Amino acid sequence: MPDSPPRAGSPALHDTDLIVVGGGPAGCAAARMAAGVGMRSILIEPDALCRNLYRIPALDNVLGGHTNGPALADAVTTELRSTELCRPELGRRVIDLRTADDHVTVTLDTGTRLTAPYAVVATGVGPLRPRDIGWITAPSGLTLSPLWQADADDAEDHTLLVLGGDRPIGTFLRAHPTTDTRLLVTYPEADAYKVEEIRDDPRVTLLPVEHLTLIPSDGGAVAADTVSQDGTRHTVTADAAYLSIGSAPTAPPGDLVRGTDGYCPPAAQHPRVIVAGDLRSARYQRIMTAFGSGGEAALHAYYAARDLSIGT
């Protein structure tokens, strides 16, 4: 009896069972979970796997006993590289993502097109710059480094002006617990929730502002004119300035649905596309939530391909 032809949308008609766009914690977790349920995947990442994890010097909120990002990244990438059902495509960028009734097509920067019944998009976020932020005015051409690039020597006996109250400040303080420094952390009132974890550190001075104008000074020092919500003006000075103003979503072009903030809410996407990790929202950007959402995204594709509800 002849074999029945593959039904529309079956893996035999496509390059793989699941395309994973993004090789951070969420994307790696999606590919690993997919392999665990027998699904082939192609994981596309323009840089190295778990690149951003290698930049985190201290961790205190992940399972597995890892106390720094590089150790966790090494463990994740080692396991993923040994996963036979996952084919990493590193050094490649998705320049277009298109959806159809029964499949997803992604186009790489090489011109190659790949198709699969489902895609997990976990491209995460990239750093914002002062020019992207309405409450900061900075001289044209001024380049500031993110706080995670500062080391103990940069901070010891120095006052650092930190623009923004994003979470890397807490990471920096945990990584350098004995460093004698003073951080002047400026942020808008809307971001007050971000500084809760550093509020009680004696090395931190919190400076909520309505607006900040950065004024470079001679010898590498910096000054800033600040305006508080009640209109009070102050000038603050520091030995150096660093950025911790947050990130912006880095979704690939194509058929992804973006909110007004640039993020891609999962519920708004085409049924063939599952968004995972930091790309979902600014509120849940944690390593643990990235791992969980990546694994859940792969299971979503697995069950959907078999016409099963996730609750079944």
Side-chain angles (χ1 to χ4, degrees):
M1 182 176 179
D3 293 335
S4 299
R7 64 182 178 86
S10 69
L13 297 177
H14 302 294
D15 296 289
T16 190
D17 302 323
L18 181 69
I19 294 173
V20 180
V21 186
C28 289
R32 185 66 189 89
M33 178 62 76
V37 293
M39 297 178 73
R40 300 171 301 143
S41 68
I42 297 175
L43 188 154
I44 304 160
E45 164 57 45
D47 207 298
L49 294 176
C50 292
R51 174 191 59 185
N52 289 333
L53 281 184
Y54 284 102
R55 300 172 177 174
I56 301 176
L59 293 174
D60 67 350
N61 57 359
V62 298
L63 296 173
H66 300 289
T67 58
N68 61 77
L72 177 58
D74 284 344
V76 172
T77 56
T78 297
E79 181 168 349
L80 194 65
R81 289 181 183 279
S82 67
T83 303
E84 294 183 359
L85 291 177
C86 174
R87 186 182 104 199
E89 287 284 346
L90 303 182
R92 299 289 179 260
R93 186 180 303 276
V94 172
I95 61 171
D96 191 52
L97 182 150
R98 297 294 168 182
T99 57
D101 289 343
D102 61 353
H103 68 278
V104 178
T105 301
V106 300
T107 303
L108 306 186
D109 51 5
T110 59
T112 299
R113 290 187 177 181
L114 300 170
T115 66
Y118 292 91
V120 171
V121 182
T123 47
V125 295
L128 290 167
R129 297 296 176 187
R131 64 176 178 270
D132 303 317
I133 303 298
W135 60 272
I136 297 175
T137 298
S140 177
L142 178 67
T143 300
L144 296 177
S145 300
L147 184 61
W148 62 263
Q149 288 186 351
D151 57 27
D153 290 339
D154 297 321
E156 186 66 44
D157 292 326
H158 289 157
T159 297
L160 306 183
L161 176 64
V162 183
L163 307 187
D166 214 47
R167 292 191 66 252
I169 300 173
T171 301
F172 175 84
L173 292 169
R174 289 190 296 272
H176 307 292
T178 62
T179 298
D180 185 14
T181 185
R182 184 185 181 207
L183 302 186
L184 306 179
V185 179
T186 59
Y187 60 95
E189 285 288 355
D191 289 348
Y193 71 95
K194 295 182 178 181
V195 300
E196 289 302 322
E197 69 172 304
I198 62 173
R199 187 176 297 278
D200 296 330
D201 193 302
R203 296 172 291 175
V204 173
T205 299
L206 298 178
L207 301 173
V209 301
E210 182 76 16
H211 193 269
L212 177 147
T213 301
L214 196 62
I215 308 168
S217 301
D218 294 335
V222 296
D225 291 332
T226 66
V227 181
S228 62
Q229 281 198 318
D230 63 5
T232 303
R233 295 178 177 271
H234 294 284
T235 298
V236 297
T237 60
D239 296 299
Y242 288 90
L243 297 176
S244 189
I245 54 179
S247 304
T250 56
D255 288 342
L256 281 170
V257 178
R258 296 164 175 79
T260 56
D261 58 0
Y263 287 90
C264 300
Q269 306 306 319
H270 188 280
R272 297 277 169 179
V273 174
I274 308 106
V275 175
D278 291 356
L279 189 60
R280 299 171 300 161
S281 167
R283 290 297 181 99
Y284 299 103
Q285 295 184 359
R286 301 290 190 274
I287 296 169
M288 288 284 282
T289 58
F291 282 135
S293 71
E296 183 177 334
L299 284 179
H300 182 108
Y302 172 77
Y303 291 130
R306 287 151 182 79
D307 296 321
L308 298 172
S309 68
I310 291 181
T312 300

